[in-house]
Amino acid sequence: MKRRQLLQGSAAALAAIGLNQIGLERRATRYGKALAQSTPRKLALLVGINDYPQPQLLQSFSAETLYGAVNDVELQRQLLIHRFGFHPNDIQTLTNDQATRENILTLYDEHLIKQAGDGDVVVFHFSGHGGRVEELDVCDTDACQNSTLVPYDYAAETEGETVQDIMGHTRFLMDSAFQTENVTIVLDCCYSGGGKRGNVVMRSRFSDQDLRGGPTTISPTELDYQQAWLSRLGWSEDEFIDKRRAGVAKGAVITSSKANQRSADYQFEGFAAGAFTYLLTKYLWQQTGTQAVEQTIKYVTRSTTRLSDHSQNPEYEPASGPIVQTQPLYQSAHNSPPGEAVVTEVVSDTRIRLWLGGLDAQSLAAFDQGSTFTLLNRNGQVKGTITQDSPRDGLVAQGQVTEGRAEVGDLLQERVRTIPASVSLAVGLDDSLNADWQTIATQLSNRLAFLTSNRVPTQQAVQVIFGRFTEENRQTLMAQRVEDLPPVGSVGLFNPLLEPLPAAFDQPNESIEDAIARLQPRFKSLYITRILHLLLNAETSRLNISVSVKQSRGRGVPILATTPRSRGETLQPTLLTEAIEEIPVETQIELVLKNGEAQDLYMSLLVLDAHGEVTVLFPYDWDAPEDQALVRAGEEVSFPTIRAIPPEGITELLVIASNNQLRQALKTMQRLAPASHRGAIPLTEPGEVMAALLDDLSTQRGEPSAENQQRQMDTGQVAAVSLLYRVVAKTCDRGENEPPCSAPA
């Protein structure tokens, strides 16, 4: 049999990582349940590579240094130990120059395969670059490339464009040797579209230009290694091909993005990490109960959509078998309560070191210092109170034990967060502007004092990038099938992954100065959104509130956002369709706010549309806004039927609830509303309204509300819940009772 038959699968690129997209939804409930058994042993191998060498022989490659892959290893290690009960001695890690091809394969065999008995739990996590290699001999499939994991020494002792990568075929052979079915593989790396993008580095050894030039070839060493495994398993090449086409060898494979998408090495506030790994581990820290993979992946996908609207859709595929059909991710029940932090070291009776792995990415700036946590043991019993009294160093901080006695492994749940004295909107300045970045930074700050600027790429987090839309941008986004692209040469705003923000560009001949003036309202809206996102605490608030949206006349499914921890419930709301529900323009929708508390609450509802505009939907009677904002205990507020309106794209509904009156904010908004106005009003000036809202929500009563004062938000007094949906173009597939629509021109 020809060598090509050994290397080709049903779909080469997906097969190389153990994935196919057929039956994803149907098989989703089986994901990750492999890790849930009460077993005698739980084994993990975690690999992260930042410092790839720049090979002399492979000048056409654009391997970039990563910044967050090693942090991914620590993110997973802390999670597995403190949330899922792995013994530290059973977790092996390989980082940077330790993560050679030989070391990875040796530990995979010695630590995982040979030690894991029937029913044991196995986790393999890889964070680093991904690659692609060509099939050998004749290729008779549509996809003639295999995806690979790139070890530290991928170019060692090779010539030309031959690399020492680890192919998915190799991992499949090794996975087949496990005695246990409880195997979970997590891969946070790219399979296409590498190089620098905006303020991130894509986890691919290849740039877009490299990819257009075709894949490299694999080292003969790798092919010999596969032959050795065929002999060890006693398989013929025909048997191997049949088994590969059947799907995953054992357990489940989880990837950070689809095979044709990009995986971001992302700059969060104060640290870098794989966008997927951080959002996944953060979600699992805060998860209140067990969930099947369908729900876990959907919730994580919803978080990645906040970072990027065009990439990073995680996928998984489980092997068939009874275990993966009945168990949830990692293990059937967490062995500790949910939390935002864990005690990793007891320095003294009154001082501890914290790992803040459960913080929401959008509210990280609210945990730099001064936050308060409730201390819990592994059974969820309250032991005391911890105050974070040192600045956050990445995800590490120190705290003071203000009540009780702390032990390593105790969980911490948010009680009070501290909104910083000075909140800024960080703007990245792209080299495509072809101008002195310091001059542009001065122009921006002179117009809007809350803007800070850095040339990108930078190791500082940025919320938005100011740059010029280039031909390279156009080609990259067209390959991703993104429509409605700006004119090449126009100046505007991008997200940190260099994806253009909707309606943020004008004509190619616009000057930088004119663009800054035009974008001033957009910068203000982004700043308002930045402050509002610092308040989000749906996973941690103790107030029982919810917001739901449903398309009228039976179309679509209800979208629900709520505060599960307030009710002590064990599950998040079930997401019945995709992570982001699509609602066509002009579709009638039903919107309901609910106060589930036994006390009255003051509530406000805001909408943040795809163009960044922020509008107050409730209260809408500006003759008496304070009276309308009061929602009685147990009361539901149903809005008159409204329609989904443009612009198309991601829309966010944000509910803010407090047991204190929103007096200052409502008075300020009442003054901004037209006389005798009933209805939604836009928020266009961030300073006065946001300062008033923060003062209303703050627990620091009686203190002066100076503009630079820190505000503290108590989870027992304030809830901020967010709900996302996507407004899409109206289609002509309408229901019986809905008005007809015209076919697009």
Side-chain angles (χ1 to χ4, degrees):
M1 177 171 290
K2 292 185 178 180
R3 181 59 178 168
R4 65 181 176 85
Q5 291 177 297
L6 173 63
L7 295 177
Q8 70 188 34
S10 58
L14 289 176
I17 56 171
L19 284 179
N20 67 61
Q21 298 182 47
I22 299 173
L24 179 62
E25 288 297 323
R26 175 174 57 82
R27 303 168 85 177
T29 57
R30 297 180 291 175
Y31 154 79
K33 296 183 178 182
L35 301 183
Q37 295 295 305
S38 176
T39 62
R41 198 165 193 187
K42 299 177 181 180
L43 301 165
L45 173 58
L46 313 176
V47 180
I49 310 170
N50 285 344
D51 302 329
Y52 281 93
Q54 297 296 319
Q56 298 298 316
L57 297 174
L58 305 176
Q59 294 299 326
S60 63
F61 291 171
S62 57
E64 301 285 357
T65 297
L66 300 178
Y67 300 98
V70 173
N71 284 341
D72 288 357
V73 169
E74 190 64 10
L75 283 163
Q76 281 280 34
R77 193 179 76 87
Q78 295 288 354
L79 179 78
L80 294 177
I81 292 171
H82 296 295
R83 194 88 218 270
F84 295 105
F86 282 61
H87 193 284
N89 293 340
D90 288 329
I91 300 176
Q92 292 288 321
T93 63
L94 293 172
T95 58
N96 292 329
D97 60 356
Q98 300 172 340
T100 62
R101 179 181 179 280
E102 181 179 358
N103 286 349
I104 294 172
L105 294 176
T106 298
L107 274 182
Y108 204 100
D109 190 9
E110 299 291 334
H111 180 64
L112 300 181
I113 295 174
K114 291 182 179 179
Q115 291 198 97
D118 185 24
D120 284 349
V121 169
V122 170
V123 174
F124 173 71
H125 180 105
F126 179 87
S127 282
H129 281 308
R132 299 197 309 181
V133 296
E134 63 184 354
E135 291 281 12
L136 299 184
D137 301 330
V138 178
C139 175
D140 54 8
T141 65
D142 293 334
C144 301
Q145 300 149 2
N146 281 184
S147 297
T148 64
L149 306 182
V150 181
Y152 176 82
D153 58 342
Y154 68 98
E157 301 178 4
T158 62
E159 296 181 1
E161 295 185 343
T162 300
V163 292
Q164 297 263 48
D165 293 4
I166 299 172
M167 295 176 66
H169 294 312
T170 298
R171 192 182 46 71
F172 179 88
L173 290 166
M174 300 180 76
D175 290 351
S176 300
F178 280 114
Q179 298 181 49
T180 179
E181 297 287 341
N182 300 345
V183 179
T184 297
I185 311 297
V186 182
L187 307 176
D188 194 344
C189 51
C190 273
Y191 301 97
S192 66
K196 289 190 174 78
R197 299 283 178 81
N199 200 44
V200 304
V201 178
M202 309 318 297
R203 289 184 169 184
S204 172
R205 184 179 58 233
F206 306 101
S207 68
D208 290 329
Q209 183 176 0
D210 294 327
L211 290 170
R212 288 191 287 271
T216 56
T217 56
I218 196 67
S219 166
T221 304
E222 177 76 350
L223 301 179
D224 291 342
Y225 192 74
Q226 292 177 14
Q227 288 288 357
W229 269 99
L230 283 175
S231 298
R232 181 169 165 179
L233 293 168
W235 290 357
S236 69
E237 293 186 351
D238 283 338
E239 287 177 302
F240 170 62
I241 292 170
D242 290 342
K243 291 176 184 295
R244 279 298 301 117
R245 288 175 174 169
V248 172
K250 296 287 179 73
V253 175
I254 305 155
T255 62
S256 55
S257 59
K258 294 180 180 179
N260 63 346
Q261 290 183 329
R262 306 167 296 172
S263 297
D265 195 73
Y266 203 88
Q267 291 290 345
F268 294 96
E269 296 198 44
F271 67 97
F276 170 73
T277 297
Y278 176 65
L279 295 173
L280 174 68
T281 55
K282 170 262 168 191
Y283 178 76
L284 293 173
W285 274 108
Q286 292 188 337
Q287 191 177 2
T288 53
T290 57
Q291 284 181 338
V293 68
E294 180 179 20
Q295 293 299 304
T296 299
I297 292 297
K298 284 181 178 180
Y299 272 101
V300 176
T301 299
R302 197 163 66 169
S303 296
T304 60
T305 301
R306 289 183 181 274
L307 302 182
S308 165
D309 197 18
H310 304 301
S311 62
Q312 290 257 230
N313 298 116
E315 287 192 324
Y316 91 102
E317 182 175 351
S320 59
I323 294 179
V324 294
Q325 291 174 346
T326 57
Q327 303 281 337
L329 176 63
Y330 288 150
Q331 55 186 29
S332 58
H334 304 112
N335 69 347
S336 65
E340 287 62 65
V342 64
V343 177
T344 57
E345 181 184 354
V346 177
V347 180
S348 69
D349 288 344
T350 59
R351 295 204 58 73
I352 59 171
R353 188 178 299 274
L354 308 176
W355 174 259
L356 296 160
L359 299 183
D360 190 280
Q362 298 180 99
S363 61
L364 283 165
F367 293 89
D368 276 339
Q369 195 167 351
S371 298
T372 303
F373 299 89
T374 299
L375 184 69
L376 303 145
N377 64 19
R378 287 188 172 274
N379 296 322
Q381 298 170 323
V382 176
K383 297 179 62 178
T385 305
I386 303 294
T387 300
Q388 179 191 345
D389 62 357
S390 75
R392 178 173 50 83
D393 180 11
L395 290 171
V396 176
Q398 291 195 23
Q400 181 179 0
V401 183
T402 55
E403 180 185 348
R405 183 174 180 274
E407 298 177 78
V408 172
D410 285 346
L411 272 293
L412 284 77
Q413 292 184 347
E414 178 193 350
R415 185 165 169 180
V416 176
R417 72 175 58 176
T418 301
I419 307 300
S422 178
V423 179
S424 63
L425 183 73
V427 181
L429 304 179
D430 193 71
D431 285 342
S432 61
L433 294 170
N434 295 321
D436 179 64
W437 74 272
Q438 292 181 327
T439 300
I440 300 174
T442 300
Q443 292 173 339
L444 287 169
S445 61
N446 285 343
R447 281 195 175 265
L448 298 168
F450 57 77
L451 296 180
T452 61
S453 304
N454 278 296
R455 183 180 178 182
V456 294
T458 173
Q459 293 187 45
Q460 304 297 318
V462 300
Q463 282 81 53
V464 65
I465 290 178
F466 183 48
R468 194 179 300 276
F469 191 76
T470 66
E471 177 61 24
E472 183 180 358
N473 297 146
R474 189 184 72 84
Q475 291 186 18
T476 297
L477 292 167
M478 285 182 64
Q480 296 175 250
R481 300 182 179 179
V482 180
E483 300 178 350
D484 299 324
L485 297 177
V488 171
S490 58
V491 178
L493 300 178
F494 302 82
N495 68 19
L497 282 89
L498 214 61
E499 298 168 349
L501 300 186
F505 292 79
D506 200 56
Q507 297 304 310
N509 59 356
E510 184 182 32
S511 69
I512 293 175
E513 292 78 10
D514 288 345
I516 291 174
R518 173 179 57 82
L519 291 168
Q520 187 167 324
R522 190 64 174 268
F523 282 122
K524 291 180 179 179
S525 295
L526 289 168
Y527 183 56
I528 293 172
T529 300
R530 160 90 164 139
I531 295 174
L532 291 173
H533 283 168
L534 289 177
L535 307 179
L536 288 176
N537 66 351
E539 307 303 323
T540 64
S541 177
R542 299 294 174 174
L543 292 184
N544 184 350
I545 69 165
S546 67
V547 56
S548 64
V549 170
K550 186 181 185 303
Q551 298 183 47
S552 298
R553 298 176 179 172
R555 296 176 63 87
V557 298
I559 316 168
L560 177 67
T562 185
T563 51
R565 201 176 289 181
S566 68
R567 302 184 304 277
E569 291 188 359
T570 58
L571 290 176
Q572 296 276 20
T574 299
L575 299 176
L576 298 179
T577 58
E578 297 301 322
I580 306 293
E581 175 75 6
E582 294 185 348
I583 301 180
V585 170
E586 297 187 14
T587 301
Q588 291 184 342
I589 58 178
E590 301 169 1
L591 197 157
V592 178
L593 295 180
K594 181 177 180 180
N595 173 11
E597 287 290 310
Q599 60 175 320
D600 298 344
L601 295 175
Y602 295 87
M603 302 178 73
S604 181
L605 175 65
L606 299 90
V607 59
L608 290 64
D609 71 19
H611 287 184
E613 295 183 3
V614 183
T615 304
V616 180
L617 290 184
F618 179 82
Y620 51 82
D621 181 358
W622 295 102
D623 290 332
E626 290 183 59
D627 292 340
Q628 192 178 49
L630 179 63
V631 180
R632 300 294 181 184
E635 182 182 3
E636 289 187 356
V637 177
S638 298
F639 284 71
T641 300
I642 58 178
R643 292 182 181 272
I645 61 173
E648 296 174 17
I650 297 294
T651 296
E652 179 176 10
L653 294 178
L654 194 151
V655 180
I656 298 174
S658 174
N659 56 16
N660 296 312
Q661 295 185 32
L662 305 176
R663 180 172 292 133
Q664 296 183 64
L666 293 175
K667 282 185 176 180
T668 303
M669 289 186 279
Q670 183 181 32
R671 190 174 70 251
L672 296 175
S676 302
H677 177 74
R678 290 178 62 88
I681 63 167
L683 295 184
T684 57
E685 294 298 329
E688 189 177 6
V689 174
M690 289 296 99
L693 177 63
L694 293 176
D695 282 341
D696 285 335
L697 299 178
S698 177
T699 59
Q700 298 162 303
R701 300 295 167 193
E703 297 184 13
S705 56
E707 186 177 350
N708 64 346
Q709 176 188 348
Q710 289 186 337
R711 280 84 163 187
Q712 292 189 324
M713 309 296 170
D714 193 321
T715 60
Q717 299 182 24
V718 176
V721 175
S722 171
L723 178 152
L724 300 179
Y725 60 88
R726 188 188 301 273
V727 177
V728 297
K730 181 172 63 174
T731 67
C732 291
D733 180 19
R734 314 297 288 169
E736 291 183 0
N737 300 320
E738 296 197 35
C741 65
S742 300

